[in-house]
């Protein structure tokens, strides 16, 4: 008997779940993740980078699929690309720890575009989101730290998740689902070099992964075959991009009774920066409440895990993208203001002399114990030595927004409203978007008329 490939095992799981359906709690988790994604996307529309993607979209032919910010629709791949990109700009989209991915920025736009084109229901959309998250996170968690050094897991694992979500909505059979994963895997890409240079590339990664997944599923439906062993093959995804990864982890405990779905393991961001900065921010905010003035600070020491330093050791950031990836800036800002929100990355905030002086006194080091606990735990400690010789310190092992330390329902709604306001939506249009989200789990064909009107920039 021929052993099924990893893609075939994932396809078998998806076909079985399509027949069984998901539990109401799974779909409600997906609905909240769609809400978090949409808030981030609306905020991204109000940025200079968001306007670049909207300008690109305006140059493309009109189509039937909703593209946030435009009155007229666009082709499905263009919509998936731009909707994914704008949702990743302000760095407030969701995170999954084990895979080190941002699933929402990839899976939701791929599912949303495909669902609208296919005439699927809101209920179908949410089910596709659950399936896409599951497969994206499973692939990402198997890649290993060496892959993450060069490649952005959101981009590489994301192509598989987007193809799975689109394949669910297109009702692909087993063979075509396998082809879709094969055709997605051959497109997987996304390098971290932009982060070394402060370039604006990052939102292109989830956008391209979303569009590539939709393309892979669509072509497979039409008969374009894809590699059955795209993941574990001798010249496949893991061999080429993650030779030190663990391919078998992709299907570990897949479909076993009691196995919790990945939509329940997602972290929601309360701060507007890279998730690797959030544990230090939480600790610094706790210390902010104890300090009379940041002028009393002599030295700030941050200890965390190595991946946080690899991406976020930026002692002298001068742009919003760099600052969002700067442990020094984020900790200094948290100590100064007691928050690290969207406005803390505006030009005036970046040049705040008090913050600039303080970040020069922030040192960051890797702690062996925190490194050993990563990626299951993204932790940090912050120690502040005052000029009078006193020392105060705080630590955070479970950053706010983690499943073990979740945001409340009211905090999630408040976050959505703040993001929408940052993106330029007034209260009436924000309420329209929230009403649309509230009724998302419906058996009726999905309508995005309300959402398109609320998000329009034209």
């Amino acid at each position: 008997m021929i052993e099924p490939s990893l893609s075939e095992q994932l396809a078998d799981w998806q076909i079985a779940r399509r027949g069984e359906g998901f539990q109401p709690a799974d779909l409600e988790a997906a609905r909240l993740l769609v809400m978090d994604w949409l808030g981030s996307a609306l905020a991204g529309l109000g940025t200079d980078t968001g306007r670049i993607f909207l300008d690109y979209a305006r140059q493309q032919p009109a189509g039937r699929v909703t593209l946030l910010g435009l009155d007229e629709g666009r082709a499905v791949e263009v919509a998936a690309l731009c909707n994914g990109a704008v949702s990743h700009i302000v760095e407030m989209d969701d995170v999954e720890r084990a895979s080190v991915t941002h699933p929402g920025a990839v899976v939701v736009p791929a599912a949303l575009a495909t669902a609208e084109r296919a005439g699927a229901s809101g209920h179908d959309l949410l089910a596709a989101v659950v399936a896409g998250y599951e497969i994206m996170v499973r692939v990402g968690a198997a890649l290993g730290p060496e892959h993450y050094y060069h490649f952005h897991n959101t981009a590489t694992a994301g192509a598989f998740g987007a193809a799975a979500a689109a394949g669910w909505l297109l009702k692909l059979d087993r063979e075509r689902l396998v082809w879709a994963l094969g055709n997605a895997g051959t497109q997987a890409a996304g390098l971290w070099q932009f982060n070394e240079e402060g370039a604006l590339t990052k939102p292109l990664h989830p956008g391209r992964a979303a569009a590539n997944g939709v393309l892979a599923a669509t072509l497979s439906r039409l008969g374009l075959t894809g590699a059955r062993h795209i993941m574990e093959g001798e010249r496949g995804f893991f061999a080429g991009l993650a030779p030190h990864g663990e391919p078998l982890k992709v299907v570990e405990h897949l479909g076993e009774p009691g196995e919790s779905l990945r939509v329940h393991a997602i972290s929601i961001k309360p701060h507007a920066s890279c998730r690797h900065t959030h544990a230090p921010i939480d600790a610094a905010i706790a210390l902010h409440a104890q300090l009379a003035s940041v002028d009393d600070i002599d030295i700030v020491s941050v200890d965390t895990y190595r991946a946080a330093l690899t991406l976020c050791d930026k002692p002298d950031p001068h742009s919003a993208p760099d600052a969002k990836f700067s442990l020094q800036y984020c900790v200094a800002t948290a100590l100064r203001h007691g928050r690290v929100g969207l406005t803390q990355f505006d030009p005036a905030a970046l040049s705040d002399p008090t913050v600039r002086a303080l970040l020069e006194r922030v040192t960051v080091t890797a702690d062996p114990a925190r490194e050993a606990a990563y990626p299951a735990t993204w932790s940090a400690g912050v120690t502040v030595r005052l000029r009078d010789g006193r020392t105060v310190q705080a630590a955070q092992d479970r950053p706010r927004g983690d499943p073990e330390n979740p945001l409340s329902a009211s905090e999630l709604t408040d976050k959505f409203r703040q993001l929408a306001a940052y993106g330029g939506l007034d209260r009436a249009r924000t309420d329209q978007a929230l009403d649309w989200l509230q009724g998302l789990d419906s058996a009726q064909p999905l309508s995005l008329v309300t959402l398109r009107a609320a998000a329009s920039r034209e």
Side-chain angles (χ1 to χ4, degrees):
M1 181 178 177
I2 300 176
E3 181 73 17
S5 69
L6 297 180
S7 293
E8 286 171 328
Q9 293 178 61
L10 291 174
D12 287 338
W13 172 84
Q14 184 158 320
I15 294 292
R17 293 314 300 251
R18 194 187 298 164
E20 298 165 6
F22 294 113
Q23 296 298 314
D26 304 327
L27 299 177
E28 175 59 13
R31 189 187 69 81
L32 292 174
L33 293 171
V34 172
M35 180 173 81
D36 194 66
W37 167 81
L38 179 58
S40 292
L42 294 173
L45 291 173
T47 66
D48 290 340
T49 305
R51 284 184 277 276
I52 291 171
F53 282 97
L54 285 183
D55 286 345
Y56 165 77
R58 291 187 182 100
Q59 296 175 21
Q60 309 311 308
R64 295 189 297 111
V65 178
T66 297
L67 195 153
L68 298 178
L70 302 186
D71 286 339
E72 277 192 320
R74 290 296 185 269
V76 62
E77 289 166 49
V78 176
L81 166 65
C82 294
N83 289 341
V86 298
S87 69
H88 199 51
I89 293 170
V90 299
E91 289 289 344
M92 293 204 75
D93 49 318
D94 63 26
V95 179
E96 200 284 325
R97 291 168 298 185
S99 62
V100 202
T101 61
H102 301 271
V106 178
V107 172
V108 176
L112 196 65
T114 307
E116 186 174 22
R117 183 183 65 174
S121 69
H123 183 91
D124 292 334
L125 167 71
L126 295 180
V129 168
V130 176
Y133 269 65
E134 187 71 20
I135 289 177
M136 177 173 172
V137 169
R138 282 180 167 276
V139 174
L143 292 173
E146 290 85 358
H147 176 88
Y148 189 61
Y149 181 81
H150 292 286
F151 293 97
H152 189 188
N153 291 16
T154 297
T156 54
F160 294 99
W168 179 287
L169 290 158
L170 294 175
K171 297 181 170 56
L172 299 186
D173 60 22
R174 180 184 192 264
E175 184 175 48
R176 283 171 170 73
L177 273 174
V178 172
W179 295 348
L181 293 173
N183 289 328
T186 203
Q187 301 179 80
L191 294 163
W192 276 117
Q193 183 60 32
F194 75 86
N195 192 49
E196 297 293 312
E197 303 179 24
L200 298 175
T201 305
K202 192 167 187 267
L204 180 61
H205 286 179
R208 191 69 264 169
N212 286 347
V214 171
L215 174 63
T218 303
L219 290 174
S220 300
R221 186 189 193 193
L222 295 172
L224 189 75
T225 62
R228 188 165 67 93
H229 293 94
I230 190 64
M231 294 189 209
E232 72 274 31
E234 183 179 347
R235 296 162 77 179
F237 176 72
F238 277 89
L241 275 63
H244 301 290
E246 301 177 73
L248 291 180
K249 285 186 68 175
V250 172
V251 295
E252 189 174 51
H253 305 304
L254 180 66
E256 291 183 3
E259 175 72 357
S260 179
L261 294 171
R262 271 52 181 182
V263 287
H264 301 291
I266 306 300
S267 299
I268 303 297
K269 287 184 172 184
H271 312 305
S273 57
C274 174
R275 185 63 174 177
H276 291 305
T277 68
H278 281 215
I281 289 173
D282 284 352
I285 288 174
L287 294 175
H288 167 83
Q290 303 177 36
L291 299 173
S293 169
V294 293
D295 294 334
D296 298 332
I297 294 175
D298 183 18
I299 295 293
V300 181
S301 302
V302 179
D303 61 274
T304 186
Y305 49 92
R306 189 165 301 280
L309 270 61
T310 300
L311 285 179
C312 302
D313 183 2
K314 292 178 178 285
D316 189 28
H318 290 278
S319 67
D322 258 2
K324 286 173 179 284
F325 277 79
S326 170
L327 284 163
Q328 292 89 342
Y329 180 84
C330 290
V331 168
T333 297
L335 289 169
R336 166 88 161 96
H337 297 290
R339 63 185 182 279
V340 182
L342 292 165
T343 57
Q344 272 69 59
F345 297 95
D346 288 344
L350 291 173
S351 59
D352 179 347
T354 302
V355 172
R356 301 301 305 184
L358 183 56
L359 69 84
E360 294 177 0
R361 285 172 263 158
V362 179
T363 62
V364 296
T365 58
D367 176 78
R370 299 190 188 282
E371 173 65 18
Y374 175 82
T377 303
W378 296 24
S379 66
V382 177
T383 301
V384 174
R385 190 178 73 197
L386 303 174
R387 297 189 188 279
D388 63 9
R390 291 183 297 122
T391 297
V392 292
Q393 56 187 9
Q396 179 63 283
D397 291 336
R398 299 290 186 184
R400 291 190 64 237
D402 271 5
E404 301 84 359
N405 187 13
L407 302 182
S408 67
S410 62
E411 286 176 318
L412 289 172
T413 302
D414 287 346
K415 176 185 173 181
F416 182 88
R417 289 189 176 280
Q418 291 167 16
L419 289 168
Y422 188 83
L425 265 71
D426 57 27
R427 186 175 184 86
R429 290 195 295 159
T430 301
D431 288 341
Q432 285 181 328
L434 284 168
D435 288 343
W436 178 82
L437 288 160
Q438 189 62 40
L440 199 52
D441 188 8
S442 167
Q444 299 301 312
L446 182 69
S447 172
L448 275 76
V449 173
T450 299
L451 182 58
R452 190 181 292 192
S456 176
R457 292 294 187 278
E458 297 179 329

